[in-house]
Amino acid sequence: MKEQEIRETLSDIRNMMERSQKVMYIDGRSGILAGIWALLGAVAVSLILSGSVCPLWGGSFNPVRTADAGTFLMVAVICAIVFAAAFLTVWIMSRRRARREGLDFTLDAGTRHMLGNFFTVMVTGGFLCLTPIANGHWELIPGYMLVFYGLAMVIVSPVLFRISVSKYMGYAQMAMGIAALCLPRYGMMFWTLGFCIFHLMWGIWFMIFFDRMK
Amino acid sequence: MTNIENLDKAFESRVRLGIMSVLNSAGQADFNTLKSMLGVSDGNLASHIKALEKLGYIETIKQFIHRKPNTSYAVTESGRKAFSAHIDALCSILKIK
């Protein structure tokens, strides 16, 4: 095969893959932004719970403080804002990218199915995060979040672009979650690692991959 | 030029490469979607699908959508690996890292 031919083949593949992408046309930058929202959320929660800006050290999820209704509500609202911000960022940036490149942005059956699976796992995890109201184990919440987010990631990965990486990211999140459950004192540290650092790495990897295909 | 040996013979046909590209990024697609994406005839597409299926690179998913039978295709784990190995081989010939 001549060099020119190979170049044409590669650009054909790229075109074809892009046109069949639809909603899953994810922009690497949205992963980076999601990581930044997670970091801001972690700093805010850390400030509320332990009065320290740095979420990386232990003791952030003080069981006594979190049990206070006002504090609980504040943390819950921050969690909701962070999740909504991350989801909307991915959604809006994917749509913008699709429009820019003249691609369809429609919710076909496959995408709806994927979103359904994703939210089934996420909502189940969300309910699990409410169980400390009954049993008082607030320190386990970061671990629950990581494990269920990782599961959701692995479940949707077959329809995400560059599937294998999303799957490994899911596994990595689950591993962080298990670690957080084993060492609840460092729950916030693992949470920040999983939701912030891994998202950043994922986003950067994504951008590099696309550059390579071009 | 040892890199040439890493190219997968199964992907020499442009139609097959196209099928793999679409399925790798869409995850799953039915016959008509593939046909319109690739712009090939029924018979041509069917024979390439059969060839890829025989190699175990793609699998058939038969289901009912609103009581109408629908056949779609998805890439298998070994197909995914073969496809990305093929792209890596192409890139390495061009010395793109």
Side-chain angles (χ1 to χ4, degrees):
Chain A
M1 261 209 264
K2 296 211 179 61
E3 202 159 291
Q4 187 56 31
E5 254 177 80
I6 298 173
R7 275 183 208 286
E8 275 168 24
T9 312
L10 278 175
S11 83
D12 275 355
I13 295 175
R14 194 178 129 80
N15 272 333
M16 206 79 80
M17 292 182 92
E18 282 185 356
R19 279 199 295 141
S20 46
Q21 206 63 272
K22 297 198 174 163
V23 132
M24 284 305 110
Y25 205 57
I26 287 176
D27 194 325
R29 281 172 297 178
S30 55
I32 294 174
L33 278 173
I36 292 172
W37 304 150
L39 182 64
L40 293 178
V43 169
V45 168
S46 174
L47 265 176
I48 292 171
L49 293 183
S50 60
S52 142
V53 191
C54 184
L56 294 183
W57 317 125
S60 303
F61 256 82
N62 184 321
V64 184
R65 282 210 209 194
T66 325
D68 169 52
T71 314
F72 172 72
L73 206 65
M74 251 195 309
V75 173
V77 166
I78 291 173
C79 288
I81 290 175
V82 168
F83 178 76
F87 187 77
L88 282 177
T89 303
V90 173
W91 184 271
I92 291 169
M93 290 189 76
S94 306
R95 196 172 65 177
R96 259 194 26 207
R97 182 163 192 163
R99 290 238 174 100
R100 200 167 56 228
E101 316 230 352
L103 303 158
D104 280 352
F105 188 84
T106 45
L107 283 180
D108 61 1
T111 315
R112 277 203 302 271
H113 188 66
M114 181 212 86
L115 284 174
N117 284 342
F118 182 78
F119 279 104
T120 307
V121 178
M122 291 298 275
V123 168
T124 311
F127 279 118
L128 194 61
C129 289
L130 294 177
T131 53
I133 295 175
N135 64 25
H137 287 296
W138 302 97
E139 70 281 6
L140 298 179
I141 288 184
Y144 292 156
M145 285 185 175
L146 283 160
V147 167
F148 276 81
Y149 180 67
L151 280 173
M153 225 31 200
V154 171
I155 282 179
V156 302
S157 63
V159 265
L160 276 174
F161 182 76
R162 279 287 120 181
I163 325 84
S164 47
V165 167
S166 308
K167 191 152 97 185
Y168 295 136
M169 168 134 130
Y171 290 146
Q173 304 276 15
M174 281 196 274
M176 288 294 109
I178 302 290
L181 291 173
C182 294
L183 301 166
R185 236 178 91 75
Y186 300 99
M188 281 298 283
M189 181 185 83
F190 289 116
W191 195 95
T192 313
L193 261 177
F195 280 99
C196 171
I197 309 295
F198 287 175
H199 274 132
L200 285 177
M201 279 163 48
W202 188 62
I204 291 168
W205 183 90
F206 225 95
M207 289 171 74
I208 292 172
F209 180 80
F210 265 97
D211 283 347
R212 189 187 149 188
M213 288 285 273
K214 276 173 195 156
Chain B
M1 292 302 266
T2 49
N3 291 323
I4 302 265
E5 287 157 24
N6 295 333
L7 293 175
D8 197 326
K9 287 265 191 300
F11 301 138
E12 260 170 20
S13 139
R14 284 176 52 86
V15 180
R16 284 185 213 169
L17 203 53
I19 295 171
M20 292 305 284
S21 307
V22 173
L23 292 184
N24 259 287
S25 64
Q28 184 178 326
D30 62 19
F31 192 87
N32 286 329
T33 311
L34 281 174
K35 202 174 87 176
S36 68
M37 295 277 313
L38 303 173
V40 290
S41 71
D42 280 14
N44 196 356
L45 180 59
S47 74
H48 284 299
I49 284 176
K50 201 178 272 175
L52 286 173
E53 213 176 353
K54 215 169 164 190
L55 287 166
Y57 287 174
I58 62 175
E59 61 192 354
T60 312
I61 300 162
K62 286 187 189 288
Q63 57 189 355
F64 286 88
I65 295 179
H66 302 305
R67 293 188 189 169
K68 273 193 242 157
N70 169 282
T71 307
S72 31
Y73 304 92
V75 61
T76 61
E77 196 55 41
S78 74
R80 215 185 292 290
K81 276 190 193 129
F83 183 68
S84 77
H86 186 74
I87 292 184
D88 284 345
L90 287 175
C91 287
S92 73
I93 293 172
L94 294 181
K95 305 214 163 43
I96 309 174
K97 185 85 182 77

